[in-house]
Amino acid sequence: MQPELIVITGGPGTGKTTLINQLVAMGHLCYPEISRQITLEAREQGIEQLFLEKPLLFSELLLEGRKKQYQQALTEASTCIFIDRGLPDILAYMHYIGDSYPSFFEEACSAHRYTKVFILPPWEAIYESDEARYENFEQAQLIYNHLQETYAAYGYDLIEVPVGTVEERIKFILNPS
């Protein structure tokens, strides 16, 4: 039986990683966001901001990494796997910067389907920039809009996670009805 693949997405600084870390602490199987790893590897090669300097290369690396995560998740014995960002996130960010991309990006999004997608709305009270998050809050709001549009274009009914404590948000994700 195929496990449930549940994406947690949202613009930058919405608390995704905090929720994923809490789910891990509770014993749930979770796959982390891989963009920071790609960014750090690029910095080791002398490219300070790969997403800004070579957005298509960055997106191709993300696409391959997220496809590998997806395939790995399908082999897990767990019945439910949480994933920090899905394949459509890549297209949403490309739409945000106004960049074009080859059709294999869209084909990958169509071929790799998730069971559920939870989206975290912009939340200015917890938003922080850091060395890997260069967007300001207004840009984070625009990215959120692109995420909504992109996932909807692939037929997903997004489940918006209300703002609240980590515990309240986890409770909502584990029992959204």
Side-chain angles (χ1 to χ4, degrees):
M1 185 172 145
Q2 183 173 317
E4 277 193 287
L5 302 182
I6 301 173
V7 169
I8 297 177
T9 191
T14 55
K16 293 176 303 302
T17 303
T18 299
L19 295 180
I20 290 288
N21 290 343
Q22 182 62 32
L23 287 164
V24 168
M26 295 170 69
H28 294 279
L29 181 56
C30 301
Y31 281 34
E33 163 63 284
I34 60 171
S35 65
R36 285 180 185 262
Q37 175 188 344
I38 291 169
T39 300
L40 292 174
E41 288 172 4
R43 282 189 183 147
E44 290 172 4
Q45 298 172 14
I47 303 171
E48 187 56 34
Q49 269 295 352
L50 184 59
F51 177 68
L52 296 176
E53 295 176 38
K54 297 182 180 182
L56 187 56
L57 174 60
F58 177 80
S59 297
E60 287 173 352
L61 293 171
L62 268 182
L63 185 74
E64 289 310 308
R66 289 196 180 137
K67 283 170 38 179
K68 286 178 187 172
Q69 277 188 329
Y70 182 96
Q71 294 301 325
Q72 178 62 38
L74 292 178
T75 69
E76 299 285 359
S78 179
T79 58
C80 176
I81 298 140
F82 293 95
I83 303 172
D84 189 343
R85 296 200 180 275
L87 287 158
D89 284 65
I90 300 166
L91 299 186
Y93 272 81
M94 295 294 278
H95 297 160
Y96 164 69
I97 65 169
D99 220 348
S100 59
Y101 44 83
S103 62
F104 64 80
F105 279 86
E106 293 172 339
E107 292 160 9
C109 289
S110 294
H112 299 80
R113 301 290 303 170
Y114 302 99
T115 311
K116 289 181 191 169
V117 179
F118 288 95
I119 188 165
L120 284 72
W123 188 5
E124 195 164 14
I126 66 167
Y127 184 84
E128 292 180 9
S129 291
D130 63 25
E131 73 283 345
R133 181 183 302 133
Y134 60 87
E135 304 93 350
N136 62 35
F137 184 72
E138 291 74 27
Q139 291 168 319
Q141 290 176 305
L142 291 173
I143 291 167
Y144 171 78
N145 294 340
H146 284 286
L147 288 165
Q148 286 182 308
E149 292 168 8
T150 303
Y151 274 95
Y154 285 94
Y156 289 100
D157 292 321
L158 297 169
I159 304 165
E160 185 166 294
V161 179
V163 298
T165 66
V166 172
E167 294 76 20
E168 290 167 341
R169 294 177 115 191
I170 292 291
K171 184 178 178 182
F172 180 85
I173 288 169
L174 295 177
N175 190 8
S177 49

